[in-house]
Amino acid sequence: MLAQPFPASAQSTLRFGTVFSPTTSTYLMLVEACRRIEAETAAAEAGAVIIDIRTAGEFGKPTELLKLVDNGDIEIAYTVQGYSPARFSASSVMELPLVRRTAVGGTRALWELYESGKLDRDYAGLKVVGLWALPAYGIFTAQRPLGSPRDLRGLRVRNPSKTVGRAMAKLGMVPVALPLNFMGTGLKDGLIDGISYGWYSSTTTAGADGQPVMGQLKNLLDIPFSGPVVMLAMKRATFDALPAPVRAAIDKHLGKTVSLAIAEERDQAEEEVKRRLAGDGRHAVLRFDPAQMADIREELEEVYADWIGGMADQGQDGKALLDAARKAIAAAEKP
């Protein structure tokens, strides 16, 4: 049940809805940041704040959290931008296939685009409390081999977002809309052949029969196919109404600082899981050679063109945005 509407008092309480379990590393990092904000504002006159951060489902379903912020039912939400593709269309540049390898590269580029004003339409009426890209997803199957791009054709894959779905279809895959918590059942029942998902997340997300979803997978294609953009959002009017010490503490301990810290932690976790799975004898970690990757990139040129065209329909220069994103990513991911 949701808490009562936001109370106006000397001690503000900010309700913070997330999608995490209590032991998730990202959740623990956010809890730590919230406690630092509380401690810093406790000594400020009329500036004390309590942040009531909750785990998945306590304030609402993952797809509902941003709407709850809009309605004033909670004050801060963690949301995957793919849940609201029309609202965050410019930011979806970071979801395009093969544009980036790492969470850190994507996150640094996102903040550069955001701070330069290139994403202003996406965040109208919102205060960005956190903004980062998750590591680029691989493509994993339960049985189907993935030795060449031809093996992708006809592959029924759980589709994580509209942007990714277009890329999948262009490469011959069949995107299947399936809620995250049904991936395990979908694999078990043969509704899907595989998923495009994170390496670490596949080892922590519940699958069928009490095992993580990675326990149902065998062939793991190490390709930086795509990864979602996530954010911590407040209603701008709610943030602006907070006492100055609270606003300053939120900007100091969340915002860009925590976004980059989370991105770095996620990249490290991805690489550790890749190494472990490659050596466990139960999974086959596969990679396409440079010529095969060149073929895939050529196939995906139409996807980039379609995305640029969609942005033009909204009165935005998608080519300039994609060029700026690629330039920022290249600088961030420089060896």
Side-chain angles (χ1 to χ4, degrees):
M1 178 178 293
L2 291 176
Q4 293 302 306
F6 180 59
S9 64
Q11 185 176 70
S12 304
T13 298
L14 304 180
R15 294 158 296 184
F16 186 168
T18 77
V19 301
F20 304 111
S21 68
T23 58
T24 304
S25 59
T26 300
Y27 179 74
L28 295 175
M29 292 174 74
L30 292 174
V31 169
E32 183 180 348
C34 290
R35 300 300 167 250
R36 289 198 297 267
I37 292 168
E38 291 173 339
E40 188 162 309
T41 61
E45 292 184 14
V49 68
I50 299 297
I51 302 181
D52 182 11
I53 184 170
R54 303 284 186 92
T55 54
E58 291 193 70
F59 278 135
K61 297 177 182 177
T63 54
E64 297 175 339
L65 293 177
L66 186 58
K67 183 178 180 180
L68 295 176
V69 162
D70 288 334
N71 293 342
D73 294 314
I74 62 176
E75 285 68 56
I76 310 175
Y78 171 99
T79 188
V80 179
Q81 292 189 352
Y83 295 155
S84 310
R87 186 166 185 171
F88 301 107
S89 56
S91 299
S92 70
V93 67
M94 218 56 66
E95 295 181 7
L96 287 168
L98 308 184
V99 301
R100 62 184 176 85
R101 293 181 291 104
T102 65
V104 168
T107 300
R108 289 191 183 279
L110 268 172
W111 276 95
E112 182 172 325
L113 296 175
Y114 171 67
E115 292 175 336
S116 70
K118 293 182 175 65
L119 306 178
D120 281 355
R121 285 197 195 183
D122 284 11
Y123 305 107
L126 295 175
K127 162 66 179 178
V128 174
V129 184
L131 182 66
W132 64 93
L134 294 181
Y137 288 176
I139 298 173
F140 312 141
T141 66
Q143 298 295 332
R144 291 273 298 270
L146 296 172
S148 77
R150 286 182 174 273
D151 294 325
L152 298 174
R153 298 175 185 175
L155 195 69
R156 296 167 299 167
V157 182
R158 186 257 175 182
N159 176 23
S161 77
K162 181 179 179 180
T163 301
V164 178
R166 288 175 179 169
M168 288 178 174
K170 182 59 183 173
L171 295 177
M173 290 178 272
V174 180
V176 178
L178 198 66
L180 191 68
N181 57 328
F182 281 91
M183 289 193 301
T185 301
L187 288 165
K188 180 179 179 180
D189 295 343
L191 178 64
I192 54 176
D193 302 306
I195 61 175
S196 180
Y197 201 44
W199 294 77
Y200 171 79
S201 295
S202 295
T203 66
T204 60
T205 299
D209 302 324
Q211 62 181 325
V213 69
M214 183 56 77
Q216 299 175 253
L217 300 165
K218 179 180 179 182
N219 300 297
L220 313 177
L221 180 60
D222 187 3
I223 182 174
F225 193 64
S226 179
V229 174
V230 299
M231 69 180 300
L232 309 179
M234 293 183 71
K235 188 184 291 188
R236 167 57 71 174
T238 299
F239 178 81
D240 288 346
L242 292 170
V246 176
R247 298 197 304 270
I250 288 173
D251 286 337
K252 177 180 177 181
H253 296 293
L254 289 172
K256 190 174 183 178
T257 299
V258 80
S259 299
L260 285 169
I262 289 172
E264 290 173 2
E265 191 273 338
R266 289 302 305 270
D267 278 340
Q268 292 170 4
E270 292 291 281
E271 292 307 312
E272 289 172 5
V273 168
K274 282 183 190 181
R275 288 192 291 270
R276 176 164 58 82
L277 294 174
D280 69 5
R282 292 179 290 129
H283 297 90
V285 176
L286 312 163
R287 296 178 182 85
F288 291 154
D289 64 35
Q292 292 171 324
M293 287 301 300
D295 289 342
I296 285 182
R297 290 181 185 279
E298 184 176 350
E299 287 287 327
L300 291 175
E301 283 300 322
E302 187 175 320
V303 173
Y304 306 137
D306 286 346
W307 183 86
I308 291 170
M311 294 300 294
D313 291 341
Q314 299 177 35
Q316 300 195 65
D317 189 341
K319 184 179 186 304
L321 184 58
L322 178 56
D323 288 346
R326 283 173 163 161
K327 181 178 179 181
I329 291 166
E333 294 187 340
K334 188 181 300 182

